[in-house]
Amino acid sequence: MQKASRVVVVVFDGLRPDMVTPERMPNLAAFAGEGAWFREARSVFPSMTRVATSSISTGAPPALHGIVGNSFYFPAVSPDFVLDTSLAADLALAEERLNGPLIALETLGDRLAAQGKSFAVVHSGSAGSTYAINPRAAAHGHWTFSVMGSEATRTPHAVDEVVERFGPLPARTLPRFEETEYVTRVFVEHVLGGMDPDVALIWFNEPDTSFHYKFLASQDTTAIITEVDAAFGRIRAAIEARSDADDIAIIVASDHGQISSSAIADIAGLLGEAGHKAARASARAINGAAVTVTGGNMGEIRMVDGDMDRRDQIARWLMQRDEIGMVFTPSDDPVQGAVDGTFSTALVGLDHARQPELVYVLRSDTSIDPHGLPGLGLITGGVPVGGGMHGGLNRHELNTVLILGGAARGGAPGATQAPSGIVDIAPTILDLLGLAAPASMRGASLMRADIRHHAAKTETFEAGTGGFRQQLSITRRGEHLFPVHGGRLG
C-alpha cells in the first residue's frame, strides 16, 4: 500500500548527529523533534562517500555492490594506476573495460524506472558520487543535475537546463556558500516547484568539505552548518506550502560522520622503508611498485603481483606498528582473518570479489578534539592536521543522521535506538511509494513497526596476536551487520 504521494530526500554529506542541536541547526533540530529519529543509524565500512552513496542507492553493503573504496586497485580496469571513483573518466573507463556497469546491483533508480516512477537529483558532490546515486539515470529518462558541470553527470542536459534558467554555475569557494545557495534554488524552484518528481533528492557537499579543511567546529564550519540548515528550512517551507504537503514523505540523512585528525602516519612511506615499494593511489602510476596503498585514516594495501607471502608479512608488520588501530584480511571465517590476529573482511561487509588483500585502519579513539567534540585519530595526509576525516570504524565516523518526517513519520514522533542505517534508505523510499524492494537490498523499510522497535543487541569481537589486540562491536538485524565502533585495545 502506498504511504506517500512523493518522497523528498535531503542528504548532508558528513553531518554528525551530535551537530543537530537547536543552537547549530534549528530547522533540522525542529524537524527531528517532530519526526522519527534513528539515533543509532550507521554508515558502512569503509565509511567513505562513494562507498556510502553506493550503499544508499543499492540498499546493500560493499560486499554486494562492489564499490570497496573511494579509490581501489582494480587491475581488470586500470592495471597501471589505482581507480579513482570520483573521476568521470575513471568511471567511463571502468564501464568500457567491464563491458557493463561498475555498480551492477539493482538500484533504487532501477526499481523506480521499472515501475514508471520519476527520480530527480540535485547534487553538489563529485562526479562519482553523482553517478553512484543513480548510475543508469540517462537510460531511465531520469534527471540528475551536478553543480560540478555537465561532465559530472550522465544527464548533461540537466545542467544546460539549469544554467539557462538560473545563470552560470557558482564559483567554488570554501566554505561552499555559493554552491549551497545555488543548488537550494534549483531544488526548490525547479525540481519541487516545476518537475515535481515521484522522488526528489538533494545532496549538499557541506558540512563534509568544511569539516575536512576548516575543522569540525571552527567559525567557518559553524557558519556553513547554519547555511545548510537554513537551506533545509527553505526546502521544508516549500513542501509545507503545497496543498498535498501531508502526503509528502521527507527523509533527512547523512552518509557518514567525521572525526578530527591528530597527526600524520605515512603508511606508504613506512612500507617503503620496510622494503615494500609502495605506490600511493594519488600518484596515478604504479611504476614497478610491489604494493598499492590508499590512504586517509584507513586504506587498502594490494599486492601488485598477488604475492600472499608478502601480504602476510605486511599484515604482521602492521600489527607491530603503534600507528595501526585495526587490520583486516579476506577469510572464509566470518570473524577471524586469514592472517593470525586480523579480522575477516566479512565481519564489516567488505567481502566482495573486488576486496583488497589487506585493509588497515589507523588508530583513533573518542578523545575530545580542540573544539570540544569527541573523536580523534591519525591520518595519512590529504587534509591539514586537525581537519576532519572519515573512512574508519570510530563510532563518530559511523553514526549518521537519519530522520523521517512528513508522511514518513509513521506515528508518534520520537527517537529510537533500533539498529538502522544508510542501507535502509532505498527500501524505505520504495515502501513509501508502495513498491517492493529488490531481493538484493539488505536494508529494510523503516516504516515497518518491527524494524523501528527492533531491540538492539551489541556483539563484541576481539582479535590479535602478540601485543596487538583489536576490538569491533556490531549490531545484527537479520543478514545485515551494522558496525558500531572499532579500534585498538590499549
Side-chain angles (χ1 to χ4, degrees):
M1 178 183 295
Q2 187 162 340
K3 304 172 180 68
S5 60
R6 281 165 176 73
V7 182
V8 174
V9 185
V10 181
V11 181
F12 299 98
D13 202 313
L15 181 61
R16 287 171 46 147
D18 57 1
M19 293 286 198
V20 183
T21 64
E23 296 76 25
R24 285 191 179 99
M25 305 188 79
N27 291 296
L28 187 51
F31 177 76
E34 299 165 11
W37 189 354
F38 293 81
R39 295 303 302 261
E40 289 299 314
R42 286 296 186 274
S43 187
V44 291
F45 179 75
S47 50
M48 296 176 169
T49 296
R50 267 93 68 194
V51 183
T53 306
S54 303
S55 288
I56 290 173
S57 69
T58 63
L64 295 181
H65 64 61
I67 304 302
V68 296
N70 271 359
S71 298
F72 58 97
Y73 185 49
F74 194 1
V77 170
S78 53
D80 300 323
F81 62 90
V82 175
L83 190 76
D84 184 343
T85 63
S86 73
L87 302 177
D90 280 23
L91 297 174
L93 178 68
E95 293 188 338
E96 175 190 338
R97 294 190 173 172
L98 292 172
N99 193 30
L102 183 60
I103 301 173
L105 210 63
E106 186 173 359
T107 67
L108 169 65
D110 296 336
R111 182 53 60 102
L112 290 172
Q115 298 299 317
K117 301 291 186 181
S118 52
F119 185 17
V121 173
V122 173
H123 213 293
S124 59
S126 70
S129 298
T130 306
Y131 163 86
I133 205 68
N134 191 4
R136 290 164 281 281
H140 296 326
H142 289 162
W143 188 93
T144 300
F145 165 79
S146 171
V147 79
M148 302 289 286
S150 56
E151 66 283 353
T153 172
R154 295 297 176 91
T155 60
H157 65 276
V159 177
D160 297 338
E161 190 178 303
V162 166
V163 168
E164 182 177 356
R165 178 173 178 183
F166 295 95
L169 299 176
R172 304 218 81 197
T173 59
L174 187 63
R176 308 290 196 208
F177 290 109
E178 290 83 356
E179 289 184 7
T180 298
E181 168 64 22
Y182 194 94
V183 298
T184 303
R185 283 192 64 204
V186 172
F187 194 66
V188 169
E189 299 174 30
H190 196 69
V191 175
L192 299 181
M195 300 177 69
D196 205 19
D198 295 297
V199 179
L201 182 148
I202 183 169
W203 191 293
F204 291 106
N205 58 9
E206 293 283 18
D208 182 78
T209 305
S210 291
F211 280 169
H212 281 308
Y213 299 102
K214 295 288 187 176
F215 308 157
L216 264 69
S218 67
Q219 185 174 350
D220 281 340
T221 301
T222 300
I224 195 62
I225 288 174
T226 299
E227 183 76 9
V228 293
D229 180 70
F232 174 69
R234 289 166 60 186
I235 293 167
R236 194 176 181 199
I239 294 169
E240 291 179 342
R242 295 171 56 122
S243 60
D244 62 344
D246 291 343
D247 297 325
I248 298 175
I250 305 172
I251 299 175
V252 176
S254 62
D255 53 337
H256 54 73
Q258 283 211 26
I259 60 173
S260 294
S261 58
S262 56
I264 289 177
D266 180 8
I267 297 301
L270 291 170
L271 276 168
E273 293 174 7
H276 307 286
K277 184 180 178 182
R280 292 178 173 84
S282 58
R284 301 288 287 177
I286 292 177
N287 289 334
V291 298
T292 64
V293 185
T294 63
N297 62 3
M298 62 76 57
E300 64 167 48
I301 301 175
R302 303 245 187 180
M303 311 304 115
V304 174
D305 61 1
D307 184 348
M308 290 298 100
D309 289 337
R310 184 188 296 275
R311 189 277 307 271
D312 295 355
Q313 183 181 349
I314 293 174
R316 290 189 289 269
W317 173 84
L318 286 170
M319 288 184 283
Q320 294 171 6
R321 301 289 315 188
D322 287 341
E323 303 93 339
I324 298 300
M326 305 186 77
V327 185
F328 296 81
T329 52
S331 171
D332 292 334
D333 188 280
V335 176
Q336 302 296 324
V339 179
D340 186 36
T342 68
F343 277 131
S344 171
T345 52
L347 188 60
V348 283
L350 195 58
D351 48 327
H352 189 273
R354 299 172 188 165
Q355 68 181 313
E357 293 96 345
L358 187 57
V359 177
Y360 69 90
V361 181
L362 294 179
R363 268 190 185 267
S364 75
D365 55 38
T366 56
S367 298
I368 303 301
D369 75 5
H371 297 282
L373 293 170
L376 272 174
L378 299 175
I379 57 172
T380 61
V383 302
V385 173
M389 188 53 73
H390 55 91
L393 286 158
N394 189 292
R395 67 175 65 254
H396 298 291
E397 297 170 88
L398 292 170
N399 195 192
T400 64
V401 174
L402 185 53
I403 308 166
L404 274 58
R409 191 180 75 179
T416 174
Q417 306 296 313
S420 61
I422 60 174
V423 296
D424 297 325
I425 294 173
T428 302
I429 293 170
L430 292 170
D431 186 29
L432 284 162
L433 295 175
L435 305 178
S440 58
M441 288 191 175
R442 286 277 183 86
S445 171
L446 298 176
M447 299 304 296
R448 288 170 46 185
D450 62 320
I451 296 297
R452 288 196 179 203
H453 303 295
H454 189 99
K457 181 181 178 182
T458 301
E459 301 175 48
T460 301
F461 302 92
E462 289 189 15
T465 183
F468 175 81
R469 300 297 302 176
Q470 59 182 332
Q471 185 179 86
L472 179 68
S473 297
I474 62 102
T475 56
R476 192 187 304 270
R477 193 191 67 202
E479 291 184 79
H480 189 70
L481 305 180
F482 295 95
V484 175
H485 180 74
R488 186 164 178 168
L489 295 173

